[in-house]
Amino acid sequence: LRGHQVDLYEKSGKLGGMFIPASAMSFKESDKRLIAWYEHQMEKLGVNLHMNTAVDSKMLKALNADEVFVATGSSARTLQLPGFESDRVLTAVDALMNPEKVQGDLVIIGGGLTGIEIAYEYARKGSRVTVLEAMDKYLNVDLAAANRNFLLAAVDLYHIDVQVNAKVSAYTDGSVTYTNPDGEHSVKADTVIVSIGYNSENSLAKELGGEHVHVIGDADHVS
């Protein structure tokens, strides 16, 4: 829009990054349309798209661009606990991108926005869903009042079992073990979804450095 010549490099075959899984749920149709709108804008504005192209620092320096924006996003945090190497344990992104992997009774670890939205998505489909949140409050994120009130109401309406102050210790024999102030408990889980946030993927930005390198989005910091 400002008149620059822009080349955009994307290592996958799709535009959208984390917004693709974020828009995957059945009630996110507007978000899907937003991705399509951006795709149209790229074509309309003549942005040079380089899909399926991984970029390294050597390649970027050879391009000799005047300004470089690094928007390499983030990667999902995982838990290194007994049993969590099971293929029945998924990250939130994996679950959203591969819904066929999500089966039976669900335990979602993490009661932030993504965890509660996934819980709502599957509870309304009839799944038995338990959410385990380590903090003393779930949905503890900045959120529009209408969205927050809707999700809080959905937790009650669909009888989603949310346990706060819950520290997970293992996934064994098809059950997740956790402790809270009342002691140790276990809950059956055919599928475990880990939704405990993301870590910035900024290794490329650190390699490049310099005043003409701008790190943006999750690569800069995860909000």
Side-chain angles (χ1 to χ4, degrees):
L1 289 172
R2 295 183 182 185
H4 295 264
Q5 177 182 312
V6 181
D7 286 80
L8 188 152
Y9 291 83
E10 167 57 43
K11 72 176 181 179
S12 77
K14 294 182 179 180
L15 295 176
M18 280 293 195
F19 207 59
I20 297 172
S23 66
M25 288 170 270
S26 60
F27 55 93
K28 295 290 190 81
E29 290 301 324
S30 295
D31 292 345
K32 293 182 182 71
R33 289 197 296 270
L34 181 58
I35 294 176
W37 181 85
Y38 273 116
E39 289 174 338
H40 176 67
Q41 294 303 304
M42 297 299 97
E43 182 179 349
K44 178 181 175 182
L45 295 170
V47 173
N48 300 314
L49 299 179
H50 305 267
M51 307 302 291
N52 299 298
T53 306
V55 172
D56 58 24
S57 57
K58 182 178 179 181
M59 176 181 172
L60 271 178
K61 288 172 183 176
L63 292 173
N64 198 31
D66 296 304
E67 305 290 336
V68 175
F69 289 83
V70 180
T72 45
S74 57
S75 56
R77 293 174 183 162
T78 58
L79 290 172
Q80 304 302 313
L81 295 171
F84 275 70
E85 70 282 355
S86 169
D87 57 8
R88 292 160 67 183
V89 177
L90 312 173
T91 66
V93 171
D94 193 11
L96 289 167
M97 295 300 290
N98 302 283
E100 71 281 358
K101 293 182 179 181
V102 181
Q103 304 289 333
D105 294 338
L106 309 184
V107 168
I108 298 170
I109 300 172
L113 177 59
T114 302
I116 296 300
E117 285 187 337
I118 294 174
Y120 166 61
E121 171 80 344
Y122 282 95
R124 66 201 289 261
K125 293 178 179 179
S127 298
R128 179 174 174 270
V129 183
T130 303
V131 178
L132 303 177
E133 168 56 51
M135 298 178 68
D136 60 3
K137 183 179 180 182
Y138 73 95
L139 214 56
N140 190 27
V141 294
D142 290 331
L143 197 60
N147 291 20
R148 179 185 299 279
N149 291 337
F150 169 79
L151 289 170
L152 291 173
V155 167
D156 290 336
L157 178 63
Y158 290 98
H159 307 292
I160 299 168
D161 182 14
V162 180
Q163 298 291 328
V164 297
N165 295 308
K167 184 178 180 181
V168 176
S169 57
Y171 177 51
T172 54
D173 299 324
S175 294
V176 174
T177 303
Y178 69 96
T179 56
N180 64 14
D182 297 326
E184 186 175 271
H185 311 269
S186 66
V187 56
K188 180 178 178 294
D190 298 303
T191 306
V192 178
I193 300 174
V194 179
S195 180
I196 56 173
Y198 303 86
N199 293 316
S200 293
E201 178 46 67
N202 52 20
S203 56
L204 179 61
K206 289 178 179 178
E207 279 187 60
L208 293 170
E211 61 178 320
H212 295 287
V213 175
H214 313 277
V215 188
I216 61 176
D218 280 1
D220 179 42
H221 70 280
V222 178
S223 57

